[in-house]
Amino acid sequence: MSTKNLIIAFGGVSPEHEVSVLSAIQAISSMENSQYNLVPLYISKSGKWFTGNQLLELETYKDLSLLEENALQCAFVKDDIGRTHLKQQNSSGLFSKPKSYPVYAVVCAFHGSGGENGAFQGICDFFNVPYTGSDVLASSLGMDKVKAKQVCVANDIPVTDSLDFYESNWETDQETIIKEAEILGYPLIVKPCSLGSSIGVAKATSKDELINAVEMAFRYDAHLLIEEAVHPLMEINCSVLGTAQECRASVCEKPLGTTETLSFKDKYQSGEGADKGMASADRVIPADISSELTEEIRELAIRTFKTFGASGVARLDFLVNAETEQVYFNEINTIPGSFSFYLWDKSDISFKQLIDELIEIAIQNHQQKNGRVQSYETNLLNEKAVKGIKGLKGIKN
Ligand SMILES: Nc1ncnc2c1ncn2[C@@H]1O[C@H](COP(=O)(O)OP(=O)(O)O)[C@@H](O)[C@H]1O
Ligand SMILES: [Mg+2]
């Protein structure tokens, strides 16, 4: 068996938990005959870390409480020589020892808060292990719709006009917020600042609807965004693969919703193919738009990926006014559903090749980080250096 342990990390405390399980299982299936020993790291909805071979099978996730009873808890630990292992915290049998896997690289397959927002990436940085996708900064920027917009505005990337506010502002200044929103003009789109999969997103065409939409969105997030609606709307997505220094764009896709605003149901629960994840949603690939518009969007996707300092594979979603063809950046998904493989296989890159490239980039990013000076041999806490710092007991000045 290969000693290169590839940790597939997924699940997590996120409304997109199940979607993440699907993306991970798809990646696992594509890597079955690879050079790696695949080790699952499944984070449950309650935030516990589990591993064990049964977690490589989709079947296991049909009963999540049974899963928690049978799977083995695990954690990252450092060994004597400073290498990071994924270590089981208990063993599978009476006579076996808990297994421990030195980490070669981590494939991050989370979607939404917790795993896509930089928090898990921070844990990987802390344990100094290579991981696929964007770093902490790009991941968290991508997850925060308000900050993402500010970055775009500062870099001439077109976005819709909007305003943002917190729950405490709404409690004290509701009328002012409504007035400002009405200057943008109905219809308006209300959305939580840092969720995904259309959860809490609603369209409002009147003051009453606006108030309802805001109150509904506050169930998910304390920070909201109200933006002008693009109408008539055409959504076009494009995936970008590589690093902020060197990357390329996939073909474009046009997702089709049953209503104009794509809902969670449209995206993941429509039709028989729900277990196929994002690949099953209705879409036109390549998008049936002009070659000029295609190129404009692909170039904008690359420029935005670079601006965010993203890495690995991302999917950039654009809102297009179907009449004027004005393009607005909507969001960057730094871990796109199904890793956007269905956009890359149109460019003759198989799912396995895509994951292989993500791992290569992860190793390259890790080597670059580790090639820099990160700490100094001098101990700044030795007696001589500490002398002169006031307020420290036991050191004579
Ligand atoms: N400004 C807008 N105008 C029109 N429709 C929008 C606008 N913003 C979002 N939508 C619709 O709502 C959906 C979800 O919004 P989005 O910002 O992508 O949130 P999420 O991160 O939850 O996917 C989009 O796919 C689109 O259909
Ligand atoms: Mg979206």
Side-chain angles (χ1 to χ4, degrees), residues 145 149 160-161 189 191-192 195-203 227-231 233 235 255 259-263 267 315 317 319 330-331 333:
K145 290 188 162 78
K149 273 198 172 211
T160 51
D161 284 340
I189 303 284
K191 42 177 106 163
L195 273 182
S197 292
S198 302
I199 296 164
V201 179
K203 195 178 204 173
E227 60 185 37
E228 57 172 342
V230 176
H231 181 79
L233 174 69
E235 303 197 61
T259 54
E260 215 188 34
T261 304
L262 273 186
S263 68
K267 284 180 181 167
R315 197 191 72 232
D317 296 353
L319 304 169
N330 184 36
E331 59 170 340
N333 299 283

PDB file of all heavy atoms in Angstrom, residues 145 149 160-161 189 191-192 195-203 227-231 233 235 255 259-263 267 315 317 319 330-331 333, ligand 1:
ATOM      1  N   LYS A 145     -19.741  37.934   1.616  1.00  0.00           N
ATOM      2  CA  LYS A 145     -20.234  38.615   0.413  1.00  0.00           C
ATOM      3  C   LYS A 145     -19.978  40.122   0.466  1.00  0.00           C
ATOM      4  O   LYS A 145     -19.764  40.749  -0.572  1.00  0.00           O
ATOM      5  CB  LYS A 145     -21.724  38.347   0.227  1.00  0.00           C
ATOM      6  CG  LYS A 145     -22.016  36.896  -0.163  1.00  0.00           C
ATOM      7  CD  LYS A 145     -23.473  36.709  -0.538  1.00  0.00           C
ATOM      8  CE  LYS A 145     -23.707  35.444  -1.324  1.00  0.00           C
ATOM      9  NZ  LYS A 145     -23.729  34.222  -0.537  1.00  0.00           N
ATOM     10  N   LYS A 149     -17.385  42.055  -2.083  1.00  0.00           N
ATOM     11  CA  LYS A 149     -17.823  43.184  -2.923  1.00  0.00           C
ATOM     12  C   LYS A 149     -16.862  44.354  -2.787  1.00  0.00           C
ATOM     13  O   LYS A 149     -16.522  45.014  -3.768  1.00  0.00           O
ATOM     14  CB  LYS A 149     -19.220  43.661  -2.492  1.00  0.00           C
ATOM     15  CG  LYS A 149     -20.317  42.900  -3.169  1.00  0.00           C
ATOM     16  CD  LYS A 149     -21.628  43.666  -3.084  1.00  0.00           C
ATOM     17  CE  LYS A 149     -22.628  42.939  -3.960  1.00  0.00           C
ATOM     18  NZ  LYS A 149     -23.625  43.733  -4.569  1.00  0.00           N
ATOM     19  N   THR A 160     -23.155  44.500  -8.358  1.00  0.00           N
ATOM     20  CA  THR A 160     -24.420  45.242  -8.244  1.00  0.00           C
ATOM     21  C   THR A 160     -24.330  46.212  -7.064  1.00  0.00           C
ATOM     22  O   THR A 160     -23.615  45.959  -6.096  1.00  0.00           O
ATOM     23  CB  THR A 160     -25.592  44.273  -7.985  1.00  0.00           C
ATOM     24  OG1 THR A 160     -25.223  43.433  -6.884  1.00  0.00           O
ATOM     25  CG2 THR A 160     -25.911  43.440  -9.180  1.00  0.00           C
ATOM     26  N   ASP A 161     -25.087  47.311  -7.148  1.00  0.00           N
ATOM     27  CA  ASP A 161     -25.136  48.265  -6.030  1.00  0.00           C
ATOM     28  C   ASP A 161     -25.847  47.606  -4.854  1.00  0.00           C
ATOM     29  O   ASP A 161     -26.802  46.843  -5.053  1.00  0.00           O
ATOM     30  CB  ASP A 161     -25.904  49.525  -6.440  1.00  0.00           C
ATOM     31  CG  ASP A 161     -25.047  50.404  -7.334  1.00  0.00           C
ATOM     32  OD1 ASP A 161     -23.806  50.240  -7.312  1.00  0.00           O
ATOM     33  OD2 ASP A 161     -25.626  51.232  -8.074  1.00  0.00           O
ATOM     34  N   ILE A 189     -32.832  42.167  -3.804  1.00  0.00           N
ATOM     35  CA  ILE A 189     -32.454  40.825  -3.348  1.00  0.00           C
ATOM     36  C   ILE A 189     -31.865  40.969  -1.950  1.00  0.00           C
ATOM     37  O   ILE A 189     -30.976  41.797  -1.724  1.00  0.00           O
ATOM     38  CB  ILE A 189     -31.392  40.189  -4.285  1.00  0.00           C
ATOM     39  CG1 ILE A 189     -31.892  40.131  -5.732  1.00  0.00           C
ATOM     40  CG2 ILE A 189     -30.955  38.814  -3.786  1.00  0.00           C
ATOM     41  CD1 ILE A 189     -32.905  39.062  -6.047  1.00  0.00           C
ATOM     42  N   LYS A 191     -29.863  39.002   1.102  1.00  0.00           N
ATOM     43  CA  LYS A 191     -29.108  37.768   1.355  1.00  0.00           C
ATOM     44  C   LYS A 191     -28.248  37.841   2.611  1.00  0.00           C
ATOM     45  O   LYS A 191     -27.755  38.913   2.960  1.00  0.00           O
ATOM     46  CB  LYS A 191     -28.267  37.360   0.146  1.00  0.00           C
ATOM     47  CG  LYS A 191     -27.531  38.436  -0.599  1.00  0.00           C
ATOM     48  CD  LYS A 191     -26.692  37.857  -1.735  1.00  0.00           C
ATOM     49  CE  LYS A 191     -27.258  38.109  -3.099  1.00  0.00           C
ATOM     50  NZ  LYS A 191     -26.277  37.911  -4.198  1.00  0.00           N
ATOM     51  N   PRO A 192     -28.090  36.701   3.275  1.00  0.00           N
ATOM     52  CA  PRO A 192     -27.153  36.638   4.388  1.00  0.00           C
ATOM     53  C   PRO A 192     -25.743  36.868   3.862  1.00  0.00           C
ATOM     54  O   PRO A 192     -25.440  36.484   2.726  1.00  0.00           O
ATOM     55  CB  PRO A 192     -27.284  35.204   4.902  1.00  0.00           C
ATOM     56  CG  PRO A 192     -28.504  34.643   4.274  1.00  0.00           C
ATOM     57  CD  PRO A 192     -28.735  35.401   3.012  1.00  0.00           C
ATOM     58  N   LEU A 195     -23.482  32.892   3.872  1.00  0.00           N
ATOM     59  CA  LEU A 195     -23.981  31.522   3.716  1.00  0.00           C
ATOM     60  C   LEU A 195     -23.814  31.132   2.262  1.00  0.00           C
ATOM     61  O   LEU A 195     -23.256  31.884   1.470  1.00  0.00           O
ATOM     62  CB  LEU A 195     -25.451  31.437   4.105  1.00  0.00           C
ATOM     63  CG  LEU A 195     -25.759  31.193   5.583  1.00  0.00           C
ATOM     64  CD1 LEU A 195     -27.252  31.089   5.778  1.00  0.00           C
ATOM     65  CD2 LEU A 195     -25.105  29.920   6.095  1.00  0.00           C
ATOM     66  N   GLY A 196     -24.313  29.976   1.891  1.00  0.00           N
ATOM     67  CA  GLY A 196     -24.244  29.583   0.482  1.00  0.00           C
ATOM     68  C   GLY A 196     -25.487  28.826   0.106  1.00  0.00           C
ATOM     69  O   GLY A 196     -26.444  28.762   0.892  1.00  0.00           O
ATOM     70  N   SER A 197     -25.482  28.266  -1.098  1.00  0.00           N
ATOM     71  CA  SER A 197     -26.580  27.426  -1.576  1.00  0.00           C
ATOM     72  C   SER A 197     -27.948  28.100  -1.515  1.00  0.00           C
ATOM     73  O   SER A 197     -28.966  27.451  -1.286  1.00  0.00           O
ATOM     74  CB  SER A 197     -26.646  26.113  -0.779  1.00  0.00           C
ATOM     75  OG  SER A 197     -25.529  25.353  -1.073  1.00  0.00           O
ATOM     76  N   SER A 198     -27.955  29.416  -1.674  1.00  0.00           N
ATOM     77  CA  SER A 198     -29.194  30.200  -1.733  1.00  0.00           C
ATOM     78  C   SER A 198     -29.975  30.204  -0.426  1.00  0.00           C
ATOM     79  O   SER A 198     -31.123  30.660  -0.402  1.00  0.00           O
ATOM     80  CB  SER A 198     -30.119  29.706  -2.852  1.00  0.00           C
ATOM     81  OG  SER A 198     -29.449  29.774  -4.068  1.00  0.00           O
ATOM     82  N   ILE A 199     -29.404  29.712   0.649  1.00  0.00           N
ATOM     83  CA  ILE A 199     -30.140  29.675   1.914  1.00  0.00           C
ATOM     84  C   ILE A 199     -30.339  31.102   2.421  1.00  0.00           C
ATOM     85  O   ILE A 199     -29.376  31.862   2.536  1.00  0.00           O
ATOM     86  CB  ILE A 199     -29.394  28.805   2.952  1.00  0.00           C
ATOM     87  CG1 ILE A 199     -29.345  27.364   2.442  1.00  0.00           C
ATOM     88  CG2 ILE A 199     -30.042  28.887   4.336  1.00  0.00           C
ATOM     89  CD1 ILE A 199     -28.349  26.495   3.132  1.00  0.00           C
ATOM     90  N   GLY A 200     -31.588  31.458   2.672  1.00  0.00           N
ATOM     91  CA  GLY A 200     -31.901  32.790   3.207  1.00  0.00           C
ATOM     92  C   GLY A 200     -31.952  33.879   2.149  1.00  0.00           C
ATOM     93  O   GLY A 200     -32.180  35.036   2.471  1.00  0.00           O
ATOM     94  N   VAL A 201     -31.731  33.541   0.872  1.00  0.00           N
ATOM     95  CA  VAL A 201     -31.778  34.551  -0.199  1.00  0.00           C
ATOM     96  C   VAL A 201     -33.227  34.715  -0.663  1.00  0.00           C
ATOM     97  O   VAL A 201     -33.909  33.721  -0.917  1.00  0.00           O
ATOM     98  CB  VAL A 201     -30.887  34.145  -1.407  1.00  0.00           C
ATOM     99  CG1 VAL A 201     -30.969  35.184  -2.516  1.00  0.00           C
ATOM    100  CG2 VAL A 201     -29.442  33.932  -0.960  1.00  0.00           C
ATOM    101  N   ALA A 202     -33.695  35.955  -0.757  1.00  0.00           N
ATOM    102  CA  ALA A 202     -35.074  36.170  -1.224  1.00  0.00           C
ATOM    103  C   ALA A 202     -35.178  37.463  -2.014  1.00  0.00           C
ATOM    104  O   ALA A 202     -34.399  38.397  -1.831  1.00  0.00           O
ATOM    105  CB  ALA A 202     -36.030  36.203  -0.044  1.00  0.00           C
ATOM    106  N   LYS A 203     -36.173  37.482  -2.888  1.00  0.00           N
ATOM    107  CA  LYS A 203     -36.430  38.667  -3.703  1.00  0.00           C
ATOM    108  C   LYS A 203     -37.584  39.442  -3.056  1.00  0.00           C
ATOM    109  O   LYS A 203     -38.521  38.829  -2.542  1.00  0.00           O
ATOM    110  CB  LYS A 203     -36.844  38.203  -5.097  1.00  0.00           C
ATOM    111  CG  LYS A 203     -36.809  39.263  -6.144  1.00  0.00           C
ATOM    112  CD  LYS A 203     -37.199  38.611  -7.462  1.00  0.00           C
ATOM    113  CE  LYS A 203     -36.656  39.369  -8.634  1.00  0.00           C
ATOM    114  NZ  LYS A 203     -36.877  38.680  -9.889  1.00  0.00           N
ATOM    115  N   GLU A 227     -29.345  44.020  -2.242  1.00  0.00           N
ATOM    116  CA  GLU A 227     -28.776  44.539  -3.492  1.00  0.00           C
ATOM    117  C   GLU A 227     -29.814  44.671  -4.586  1.00  0.00           C
ATOM    118  O   GLU A 227     -30.875  44.043  -4.537  1.00  0.00           O
ATOM    119  CB  GLU A 227     -27.573  43.697  -3.939  1.00  0.00           C
ATOM    120  CG  GLU A 227     -27.849  42.250  -4.205  1.00  0.00           C
ATOM    121  CD  GLU A 227     -26.570  41.469  -4.532  1.00  0.00           C
ATOM    122  OE1 GLU A 227     -25.510  41.758  -3.943  1.00  0.00           O
ATOM    123  OE2 GLU A 227     -26.658  40.579  -5.380  1.00  0.00           O
ATOM    124  N   GLU A 228     -29.491  45.517  -5.552  1.00  0.00           N
ATOM    125  CA  GLU A 228     -30.407  45.684  -6.680  1.00  0.00           C
ATOM    126  C   GLU A 228     -30.492  44.359  -7.430  1.00  0.00           C
ATOM    127  O   GLU A 228     -29.492  43.643  -7.533  1.00  0.00           O
ATOM    128  CB  GLU A 228     -29.908  46.806  -7.612  1.00  0.00           C
ATOM    129  CG  GLU A 228     -28.513  46.567  -8.142  1.00  0.00           C
ATOM    130  CD  GLU A 228     -28.080  47.563  -9.216  1.00  0.00           C
ATOM    131  OE1 GLU A 228     -28.942  48.229  -9.799  1.00  0.00           O
ATOM    132  OE2 GLU A 228     -26.871  47.636  -9.472  1.00  0.00           O
ATOM    133  N   ALA A 229     -31.680  44.051  -7.914  1.00  0.00           N
ATOM    134  CA  ALA A 229     -31.840  42.791  -8.643  1.00  0.00           C
ATOM    135  C   ALA A 229     -31.456  42.994 -10.099  1.00  0.00           C
ATOM    136  O   ALA A 229     -31.776  44.024 -10.698  1.00  0.00           O
ATOM    137  CB  ALA A 229     -33.275  42.315  -8.544  1.00  0.00           C
ATOM    138  N   VAL A 230     -30.761  42.022 -10.638  1.00  0.00           N
ATOM    139  CA  VAL A 230     -30.457  42.052 -12.062  1.00  0.00           C
ATOM    140  C   VAL A 230     -31.665  41.452 -12.772  1.00  0.00           C
ATOM    141  O   VAL A 230     -32.102  40.344 -12.444  1.00  0.00           O
ATOM    142  CB  VAL A 230     -29.177  41.244 -12.365  1.00  0.00           C
ATOM    143  CG1 VAL A 230     -28.906  41.188 -13.858  1.00  0.00           C
ATOM    144  CG2 VAL A 230     -27.995  41.829 -11.608  1.00  0.00           C
ATOM    145  N   HIS A 231     -32.201  42.197 -13.734  1.00  0.00           N
ATOM    146  CA  HIS A 231     -33.457  41.773 -14.346  1.00  0.00           C
ATOM    147  C   HIS A 231     -33.542  42.249 -15.784  1.00  0.00           C
ATOM    148  O   HIS A 231     -33.324  43.442 -16.009  1.00  0.00           O
ATOM    149  CB  HIS A 231     -34.621  42.329 -13.509  1.00  0.00           C
ATOM    150  CG  HIS A 231     -35.946  41.920 -14.039  1.00  0.00           C
ATOM    151  ND1 HIS A 231     -36.469  40.672 -13.801  1.00  0.00           N
ATOM    152  CD2 HIS A 231     -36.830  42.587 -14.813  1.00  0.00           C
ATOM    153  CE1 HIS A 231     -37.639  40.594 -14.409  1.00  0.00           C
ATOM    154  NE2 HIS A 231     -37.890  41.722 -15.027  1.00  0.00           N
ATOM    155  N   LEU A 233     -32.673  38.280 -15.633  1.00  0.00           N
ATOM    156  CA  LEU A 233     -31.424  37.668 -15.161  1.00  0.00           C
ATOM    157  C   LEU A 233     -31.007  36.449 -15.978  1.00  0.00           C
ATOM    158  O   LEU A 233     -31.828  35.597 -16.306  1.00  0.00           O
ATOM    159  CB  LEU A 233     -31.610  37.233 -13.700  1.00  0.00           C
ATOM    160  CG  LEU A 233     -30.463  36.436 -13.077  1.00  0.00           C
ATOM    161  CD1 LEU A 233     -29.226  37.306 -12.895  1.00  0.00           C
ATOM    162  CD2 LEU A 233     -30.877  35.843 -11.731  1.00  0.00           C
ATOM    163  N   GLU A 235     -27.777  33.710 -15.406  1.00  0.00           N
ATOM    164  CA  GLU A 235     -26.620  33.397 -14.564  1.00  0.00           C
ATOM    165  C   GLU A 235     -25.604  32.627 -15.391  1.00  0.00           C
ATOM    166  O   GLU A 235     -25.957  31.695 -16.122  1.00  0.00           O
ATOM    167  CB  GLU A 235     -27.057  32.554 -13.365  1.00  0.00           C
ATOM    168  CG  GLU A 235     -28.122  33.255 -12.566  1.00  0.00           C
ATOM    169  CD  GLU A 235     -28.288  32.684 -11.179  1.00  0.00           C
ATOM    170  OE1 GLU A 235     -27.322  32.722 -10.398  1.00  0.00           O
ATOM    171  OE2 GLU A 235     -29.386  32.209 -10.879  1.00  0.00           O
ATOM    172  N   PRO A 255     -26.506  27.808 -15.455  1.00  0.00           N
ATOM    173  CA  PRO A 255     -27.420  27.008 -14.630  1.00  0.00           C
ATOM    174  C   PRO A 255     -28.859  27.441 -14.889  1.00  0.00           C
ATOM    175  O   PRO A 255     -29.120  28.608 -15.138  1.00  0.00           O
ATOM    176  CB  PRO A 255     -27.000  27.330 -13.197  1.00  0.00           C
ATOM    177  CG  PRO A 255     -26.255  28.604 -13.278  1.00  0.00           C
ATOM    178  CD  PRO A 255     -25.766  28.796 -14.682  1.00  0.00           C
ATOM    179  N   THR A 259     -37.269  28.707 -10.946  1.00  0.00           N
ATOM    180  CA  THR A 259     -37.710  30.089 -10.808  1.00  0.00           C
ATOM    181  C   THR A 259     -36.495  30.932 -11.164  1.00  0.00           C
ATOM    182  O   THR A 259     -35.411  30.407 -11.298  1.00  0.00           O
ATOM    183  CB  THR A 259     -38.106  30.397  -9.358  1.00  0.00           C
ATOM    184  OG1 THR A 259     -37.000  30.049  -8.537  1.00  0.00           O
ATOM    185  CG2 THR A 259     -39.324  29.630  -8.944  1.00  0.00           C
ATOM    186  N   GLU A 260     -36.685  32.250 -11.243  1.00  0.00           N
ATOM    187  CA  GLU A 260     -35.548  33.062 -11.649  1.00  0.00           C
ATOM    188  C   GLU A 260     -34.409  33.024 -10.620  1.00  0.00           C
ATOM    189  O   GLU A 260     -33.253  33.024 -10.948  1.00  0.00           O
ATOM    190  CB  GLU A 260     -35.989  34.500 -11.909  1.00  0.00           C
ATOM    191  CG  GLU A 260     -35.197  35.085 -13.052  1.00  0.00           C
ATOM    192  CD  GLU A 260     -35.446  36.555 -13.235  1.00  0.00           C
ATOM    193  OE1 GLU A 260     -35.654  37.261 -12.234  1.00  0.00           O
ATOM    194  OE2 GLU A 260     -35.397  37.004 -14.388  1.00  0.00           O
ATOM    195  N   THR A 261     -34.790  32.972  -9.318  1.00  0.00           N
ATOM    196  CA  THR A 261     -33.763  32.880  -8.291  1.00  0.00           C
ATOM    197  C   THR A 261     -33.544  31.412  -7.971  1.00  0.00           C
ATOM    198  O   THR A 261     -34.446  30.741  -7.510  1.00  0.00           O
ATOM    199  CB  THR A 261     -34.213  33.633  -7.015  1.00  0.00           C
ATOM    200  OG1 THR A 261     -34.503  34.962  -7.388  1.00  0.00           O
ATOM    201  CG2 THR A 261     -33.136  33.628  -5.959  1.00  0.00           C
ATOM    202  N   LEU A 262     -32.352  30.921  -8.234  1.00  0.00           N
ATOM    203  CA  LEU A 262     -32.068  29.510  -8.002  1.00  0.00           C
ATOM    204  C   LEU A 262     -32.151  29.195  -6.519  1.00  0.00           C
ATOM    205  O   LEU A 262     -31.518  29.845  -5.702  1.00  0.00           O
ATOM    206  CB  LEU A 262     -30.651  29.180  -8.469  1.00  0.00           C
ATOM    207  CG  LEU A 262     -30.432  28.799  -9.917  1.00  0.00           C
ATOM    208  CD1 LEU A 262     -28.983  28.378 -10.101  1.00  0.00           C
ATOM    209  CD2 LEU A 262     -31.338  27.666 -10.333  1.00  0.00           C
ATOM    210  N   SER A 263     -32.922  28.195  -6.170  1.00  0.00           N
ATOM    211  CA  SER A 263     -33.055  27.852  -4.755  1.00  0.00           C
ATOM    212  C   SER A 263     -32.177  26.655  -4.429  1.00  0.00           C
ATOM    213  O   SER A 263     -31.646  25.992  -5.311  1.00  0.00           O
ATOM    214  CB  SER A 263     -34.497  27.494  -4.451  1.00  0.00           C
ATOM    215  OG  SER A 263     -34.803  26.283  -5.114  1.00  0.00           O
ATOM    216  N   LYS A 267     -30.879  23.536  -6.868  1.00  0.00           N
ATOM    217  CA  LYS A 267     -29.474  23.189  -7.026  1.00  0.00           C
ATOM    218  C   LYS A 267     -29.191  21.738  -6.681  1.00  0.00           C
ATOM    219  O   LYS A 267     -28.395  21.089  -7.315  1.00  0.00           O
ATOM    220  CB  LYS A 267     -28.608  24.090  -6.150  1.00  0.00           C
ATOM    221  CG  LYS A 267     -28.461  25.488  -6.731  1.00  0.00           C
ATOM    222  CD  LYS A 267     -27.617  26.334  -5.836  1.00  0.00           C
ATOM    223  CE  LYS A 267     -27.475  27.739  -6.383  1.00  0.00           C
ATOM    224  NZ  LYS A 267     -26.917  28.650  -5.415  1.00  0.00           N
ATOM    225  N   ARG A 315     -15.116  28.292  -8.483  1.00  0.00           N
ATOM    226  CA  ARG A 315     -16.141  28.604  -9.484  1.00  0.00           C
ATOM    227  C   ARG A 315     -16.594  30.029  -9.240  1.00  0.00           C
ATOM    228  O   ARG A 315     -16.924  30.399  -8.109  1.00  0.00           O
ATOM    229  CB  ARG A 315     -17.337  27.650  -9.371  1.00  0.00           C
ATOM    230  CG  ARG A 315     -18.228  27.672 -10.636  1.00  0.00           C
ATOM    231  CD  ARG A 315     -19.546  26.950 -10.431  1.00  0.00           C
ATOM    232  NE  ARG A 315     -20.407  27.707  -9.565  1.00  0.00           N
ATOM    233  CZ  ARG A 315     -21.014  27.222  -8.474  1.00  0.00           C
ATOM    234  NH1 ARG A 315     -20.846  25.972  -8.112  1.00  0.00           N
ATOM    235  NH2 ARG A 315     -21.787  27.997  -7.737  1.00  0.00           N
ATOM    236  N   ASP A 317     -19.219  32.950 -10.066  1.00  0.00           N
ATOM    237  CA  ASP A 317     -20.597  33.071 -10.541  1.00  0.00           C
ATOM    238  C   ASP A 317     -20.890  34.520 -10.916  1.00  0.00           C
ATOM    239  O   ASP A 317     -20.592  35.438 -10.146  1.00  0.00           O
ATOM    240  CB  ASP A 317     -21.573  32.618  -9.452  1.00  0.00           C
ATOM    241  CG  ASP A 317     -21.409  31.132  -9.102  1.00  0.00           C
ATOM    242  OD1 ASP A 317     -20.641  30.444  -9.803  1.00  0.00           O
ATOM    243  OD2 ASP A 317     -22.048  30.682  -8.144  1.00  0.00           O
ATOM    244  N   LEU A 319     -23.751  37.391 -12.618  1.00  0.00           N
ATOM    245  CA  LEU A 319     -25.133  37.729 -12.947  1.00  0.00           C
ATOM    246  C   LEU A 319     -25.063  38.578 -14.207  1.00  0.00           C
ATOM    247  O   LEU A 319     -24.288  39.541 -14.263  1.00  0.00           O
ATOM    248  CB  LEU A 319     -25.765  38.550 -11.817  1.00  0.00           C
ATOM    249  CG  LEU A 319     -25.741  37.928 -10.412  1.00  0.00           C
ATOM    250  CD1 LEU A 319     -26.155  38.964  -9.364  1.00  0.00           C
ATOM    251  CD2 LEU A 319     -26.668  36.713 -10.343  1.00  0.00           C
ATOM    252  N   ASN A 330     -20.876  37.913  -9.009  1.00  0.00           N
ATOM    253  CA  ASN A 330     -21.772  37.644  -7.875  1.00  0.00           C
ATOM    254  C   ASN A 330     -21.022  37.006  -6.719  1.00  0.00           C
ATOM    255  O   ASN A 330     -21.059  37.497  -5.604  1.00  0.00           O
ATOM    256  CB  ASN A 330     -22.942  36.764  -8.318  1.00  0.00           C
ATOM    257  CG  ASN A 330     -23.942  36.553  -7.192  1.00  0.00           C
ATOM    258  OD1 ASN A 330     -24.175  37.464  -6.394  1.00  0.00           O
ATOM    259  ND2 ASN A 330     -24.501  35.370  -7.095  1.00  0.00           N
ATOM    260  N   GLU A 331     -20.329  35.894  -6.967  1.00  0.00           N
ATOM    261  CA  GLU A 331     -19.585  35.283  -5.861  1.00  0.00           C
ATOM    262  C   GLU A 331     -18.517  34.355  -6.379  1.00  0.00           C
ATOM    263  O   GLU A 331     -18.582  33.861  -7.506  1.00  0.00           O
ATOM    264  CB  GLU A 331     -20.518  34.543  -4.903  1.00  0.00           C
ATOM    265  CG  GLU A 331     -21.308  33.442  -5.567  1.00  0.00           C
ATOM    266  CD  GLU A 331     -22.041  32.562  -4.561  1.00  0.00           C
ATOM    267  OE1 GLU A 331     -21.666  32.538  -3.385  1.00  0.00           O
ATOM    268  OE2 GLU A 331     -22.981  31.873  -4.986  1.00  0.00           O
ATOM    269  N   ASN A 333     -16.781  30.783  -5.339  1.00  0.00           N
ATOM    270  CA  ASN A 333     -16.888  29.597  -4.492  1.00  0.00           C
ATOM    271  C   ASN A 333     -15.506  28.967  -4.477  1.00  0.00           C
ATOM    272  O   ASN A 333     -15.071  28.409  -5.481  1.00  0.00           O
ATOM    273  CB  ASN A 333     -17.910  28.625  -5.075  1.00  0.00           C
ATOM    274  CG  ASN A 333     -19.283  29.269  -5.146  1.00  0.00           C
ATOM    275  OD1 ASN A 333     -19.973  29.383  -4.151  1.00  0.00           O
ATOM    276  ND2 ASN A 333     -19.661  29.733  -6.332  1.00  0.00           N
TER     277      ASN A 333
HETATM  278  N1  LIG B   1     -28.539  40.811  -7.517  1.00  0.00           N
HETATM  279  C1  LIG B   1     -29.257  39.746  -7.897  1.00  0.00           C
HETATM  280  N2  LIG B   1     -30.192  39.865  -8.860  1.00  0.00           N
HETATM  281  C2  LIG B   1     -30.940  38.827  -9.259  1.00  0.00           C
HETATM  282  N3  LIG B   1     -30.830  37.596  -8.742  1.00  0.00           N
HETATM  283  C3  LIG B   1     -29.899  37.401  -7.790  1.00  0.00           C
HETATM  284  C4  LIG B   1     -29.066  38.459  -7.311  1.00  0.00           C
HETATM  285  N4  LIG B   1     -28.256  37.978  -6.365  1.00  0.00           N
HETATM  286  C5  LIG B   1     -28.549  36.679  -6.251  1.00  0.00           C
HETATM  287  N5  LIG B   1     -29.537  36.308  -7.086  1.00  0.00           N
HETATM  288  C6  LIG B   1     -30.141  34.957  -7.223  1.00  0.00           C
HETATM  289  O1  LIG B   1     -30.059  34.285  -5.962  1.00  0.00           O
HETATM  290  C7  LIG B   1     -29.237  33.134  -6.051  1.00  0.00           C
HETATM  291  C8  LIG B   1     -28.437  32.964  -4.786  1.00  0.00           C
HETATM  292  O2  LIG B   1     -27.644  34.104  -4.536  1.00  0.00           O
HETATM  293  P1  LIG B   1     -26.081  34.012  -4.258  1.00  0.00           P
HETATM  294  O3  LIG B   1     -25.574  35.390  -4.073  1.00  0.00           O
HETATM  295  O4  LIG B   1     -25.442  33.221  -5.335  1.00  0.00           O
HETATM  296  O5  LIG B   1     -26.042  33.254  -2.879  1.00  0.00           O
HETATM  297  P2  LIG B   1     -25.471  31.818  -2.463  1.00  0.00           P
HETATM  298  O6  LIG B   1     -24.109  32.075  -1.918  1.00  0.00           O
HETATM  299  O7  LIG B   1     -26.425  31.393  -1.402  1.00  0.00           O
HETATM  300  O8  LIG B   1     -25.446  30.955  -3.675  1.00  0.00           O
HETATM  301  C9  LIG B   1     -28.399  33.365  -7.296  1.00  0.00           C
HETATM  302  O9  LIG B   1     -27.970  32.134  -7.844  1.00  0.00           O
HETATM  303  C10 LIG B   1     -29.375  34.105  -8.204  1.00  0.00           C
HETATM  304  O10 LIG B   1     -30.303  33.188  -8.787  1.00  0.00           O
END
